[in-house]
Amino acid sequence: MNFTPIIKEVGRGARGARGLDAATAGEAFTALLDGSISDIQLGAWWLAMRIKGETPDELAAFVGAMQAGLAFQVDAGGAPAAVLPCYNGARQLPNLTPLLAWALAQRGTRVLLHGVRQDPTRVTTFELFQALGFPVAESRTGAEQALTSKGFAFTPIDALHPKLAALLGN
C-alpha cells in the first residue's frame, strides 16, 4: 500500500485535513497492524491523527480492521458482556478496574477486560488480576470458561490481538 497519499490527506492540520473514506481508513489501519509501513510513516500517521482527530466513519473502519485481526472472539454464552480496555494502569491513585469488573460480575454482567501485561511506570490491571487470583485467560476457551464460572476475565492484548500488541509496542 502506498501510504504517502494517506499521510498527505490526514496531515493537513486540524482545519485542512479531511476524513478518509471507510475503505481507505480500513486499508490504512490494516497496513498499520500488519507493520507494512515505515517507522517514519507510522510517526507521521500518529501525529497527523492526533491533530486532526478521527471521524465516525474512520473509527468504524479502524474497529473493522482490528476485529478482522483478532486471534479469537469470546462467546459469553448468550449473556450480555461488557468489554473494558485497560491500558493505562495506575501511577498514584489506586487501580480500581479489577474491583469494577468483580462488582459487575456479582450483579450478573459478564466482563472481559483486555490490556497490557506490564508498564514500567504503572501498576497494570493484569498485575492486579494476578495478585488477586482473578482469572487471566490466554485463549478463547480460557476466557469463555472464566466468563461462565466467574463472570469476568482479563485477556492480555498479546494473546487477543498480537498485531495490535506489536503496534502498541512501537
Side-chain angles (χ1 to χ4, degrees):
M1 162 173 233
N2 183 2
F3 216 72
T4 303
I6 294 171
I7 300 283
K8 186 177 178 182
E9 188 65 34
V10 298
R12 298 176 191 256
R15 291 186 179 90
R18 291 185 300 265
L20 300 172
D21 62 81
T24 304
E27 289 175 22
F29 208 77
T30 298
L32 293 173
L33 291 170
D34 288 342
S36 61
I37 63 171
S38 72
D39 288 345
I40 291 173
Q41 290 173 322
L42 180 64
W45 165 268
W46 289 130
L47 183 59
M49 291 304 287
R50 170 78 184 218
I51 292 168
K52 177 185 99 51
E54 302 86 6
T55 67
D57 287 341
E58 288 172 335
L59 286 174
F62 299 161
V63 168
M66 285 188 0
Q67 287 177 337
L70 286 170
F72 60 89
Q73 291 187 4
V74 176
D75 180 3
V83 179
L84 300 178
C86 308
Y87 290 86
N88 287 341
R91 286 189 187 152
Q92 297 174 356
L93 298 174
N95 180 343
L96 299 176
T97 307
L99 178 61
L100 171 64
W102 175 82
L104 287 169
Q106 296 299 305
R107 286 158 181 79
T109 301
R110 295 185 181 189
V111 184
L112 180 66
L113 302 96
H114 59 88
V116 296
R117 293 177 191 268
Q118 62 184 6
D119 183 319
T121 64
R122 301 172 190 259
V123 176
T124 66
T125 301
F126 173 79
E127 292 166 330
L128 291 172
F129 261 63
Q130 285 190 313
L132 293 167
F134 286 176
V136 174
E138 300 278 346
S139 67
R140 175 184 179 161
T141 304
E144 288 175 353
Q145 287 174 348
L147 288 174
T148 300
S149 64
K150 302 285 187 184
F152 66 113
F154 181 92
T155 300
I157 191 61
D158 59 314
L160 183 61
H161 202 305
K163 289 181 178 182
L164 182 57
L167 182 60
L168 292 171
N170 280 338

